[in-house]
Structures are given as structure tokens and as C-alpha cells.
Amino acid sequence: MRVHPAPFPTETDEQLWLRTRRGDPEAFGQLVARHQTLLCSLAYSRCGDLARSEEIAQEAFLAAWRQRETLREPSRLRSWLAGITRNLAHGHVRRERHGGATFLPIESLESGEAPSSSAEDPLGDLVSREEADLLWRTLGSLPESYREPLVLFYRQGRSVSEVARALDLTEDAARQRLSRGRSLLRENLAQVLERTLERTGPTGAFTAG
């Protein structure tokens, strides 16, 4: 999905959605730019794969564009987009568990062109596979109610208010979930380190050598 530069930086989501419902792709591109961090974070919180989470988020935006006539209350836009994303991510995880996880190519809103091959990992230069695996081993063990706020917190500039607004929580509720999530995260990471270190100590083969 090709995202255009923001043409209406001062317009609200509601105003942009009214333009989108009339078929304005530039207004929709602005909404994509505003909400892409939320949707990618929600997708990652469910599927645990950084590259796949971006594909799921793109699919969610494409579904929203195709179904734009169905959302009659622009004030519900963020929750609606989040719901689409969670459903798609849940479907992906369910198919993966049954050994049939596949993803259809995502078409451009304008040209219908498919994106480049999924074998090209756009995050490969930023996060190593080992780092990604360690990240999910620790995050994936948390309840989703703590995982979503944590992922958003570190992607939204460590702002509690942004997390609260994105997830439709009060700031107190968001702060409590972040505090509990960070505490669990430290405990889980410590356990991962303990198990790894226990398995990597010198063995009899080292002594014989």
C-alpha cells in the first residue's frame, strides 16, 4: 500500500474519514500515517512476528478502505481499525497453528500492484533474528492486556497518554498495566537468561578436550 505525504495535517480523523468515504486516497493515506504504529503494534502483540505484523496491518488498512462505507460513525474510527487488525492477526495465528498460514499479496490502492516478495525482510537490517526471537520469548509470555500497552509505550515515544488514547483506556489504567507488564517482563527475562545460562555451561566434552 503506497502511503502519500500528509496533505491535511490539521484535519481531524473524523474530517479525514469523511473525505475517505468519498473515495479520497490522499485523506486515507494521512489516516494510515497516523495509525500505522497502533495497527502494527496490535498485530505484533498477537502474532509475534515483526515482518508479518506489518503485512497484517497493511491488510487491515486495505480492508478498511474496501469497507469504508460501513463505518457510519467517524468517532469510532480508531477502535474500528483496531478491531479489524486484531481479527486478522487472530486469524493468522489460528491458521499458523493448523499449519496453513498463508498471506495474500496486498494490492496498491491505486495500481493494484502486488508488493515486493515477502522474502525481503524490511526489518532485517534493524533487528537480528536472535534479537527478534528473544523479544518474543519474553513478550509472548505476557497476557495480551499487558503486552499491547508495552509495545505501544516504546513505539509511541514512551507516552502514557498516547497509550491510553490508542487503547481507549484511562491514563490510570494504562499506567497500571504498563507497571505490571514491565514487572512481569523483568521476571520473564530473568527466567529466560537463567535457563539459557544453565544449558550453555561447559560440558564433559570440554573437559576431555
Side-chain angles (χ1 to χ4, degrees), residues 113-184:
E113 296 173 352
S116 58
S117 168
S118 59
E120 298 175 5
D121 183 359
L123 300 168
D125 294 335
L126 301 177
V127 180
S128 71
R129 174 50 57 188
E130 290 78 11
E131 288 173 320
D133 289 345
L134 176 61
L135 177 64
W136 186 247
R137 280 203 303 273
T138 51
L139 276 176
S141 60
L142 301 182
E144 196 167 60
S145 59
Y146 299 133
R147 196 161 63 235
E148 285 185 352
L150 273 175
V151 174
L152 272 171
F153 179 72
Y154 290 109
R155 286 183 164 182
Q156 296 274 34
R158 300 171 184 256
S159 168
V160 174
S161 61
E162 284 293 319
V163 170
R165 190 169 65 88
L167 296 178
D168 294 322
L169 299 171
T170 65
E171 288 198 21
D172 283 343
R175 192 173 289 105
Q176 289 172 4
R177 293 190 189 187
L178 286 166
S179 176
R180 179 57 178 157
R182 281 196 292 260
S183 176
L184 290 173

Side-chain angles (χ1 to χ4, degrees), residues 9 25 39 46 64 68 78-79 91 93 107 133 150 157 172 176 197:
L39 269 60
R46 290 215 170 185
R68 61 188 182 278
R78 187 174 58 248
S79 297
V93 171
E107 300 172 351
D133 289 345
L150 273 175
D172 283 343
Q176 289 172 4
L197 290 172

Side-chain angles (χ1 to χ4, degrees), residues 1-2 62 106-114:
M1 182 183 299
R2 191 174 292 116
L62 183 59
I106 301 172
E107 300 172 351
S108 165
L109 291 179
E110 295 180 351
S111 65
E113 296 173 352

